[in-house]
Amino acid sequence: PSIGLHQRDNVKLINALKRLRDLGNTVIVVEHDTETMENADHIIDLGPEGGSAGGSVVATGTPETVAEVEGSYTGHYLKEMLEAATKRVAAE
């Protein structure tokens, strides 16, 4: 988990994961960090909740695809983050 990492260290971690992928490796990351999910090639969202209320595939695909799945808590969160990022870019 990247919780507690400084923002610049989180970026370094994401770049290291991308380098591993680019070298032909399959990289599987279990993470809740939005920035990490936004940089993922593919997300598998398990849920809908944790523990005995989870364990089913709720959504799968790119961050943008998962963001459009209504029953996905992760998708809802990603949608808010992606929309906020789009507004920031448009304001610049």
Side-chain angles (χ1 to χ4, degrees):
S2 63
I3 188 129
L5 285 181
H6 188 278
Q7 179 61 30
R8 74 179 174 292
D9 293 328
N10 199 37
V11 170
K12 287 180 184 179
L13 175 61
I14 290 168
N15 288 336
L17 294 170
K18 286 182 174 183
R19 281 192 302 277
L20 286 169
R21 176 207 57 203
D22 293 345
L23 289 170
N25 295 288
T26 298
V27 181
I28 299 173
V29 179
V30 178
E31 184 60 77
H32 294 94
D33 175 67
T34 308
E35 187 174 15
T36 303
M37 289 189 285
E38 289 171 347
N39 281 279
D41 295 324
H42 193 89
I43 294 175
I44 300 171
D45 182 20
L46 299 174
E49 296 180 13
S52 62
S56 298
V57 175
V58 177
T60 182
T62 65
E64 294 79 13
T65 302
V66 172
E68 296 303 320
V69 176
E70 298 226 1
S72 169
Y73 294 141
T74 301
H76 177 74
Y77 187 66
L78 277 171
K79 186 172 187 167
E80 288 179 1
M81 296 301 108
L82 292 169
E83 287 173 352
T86 300
K87 288 178 184 174
R88 270 195 313 275
V89 170
E92 292 176 353

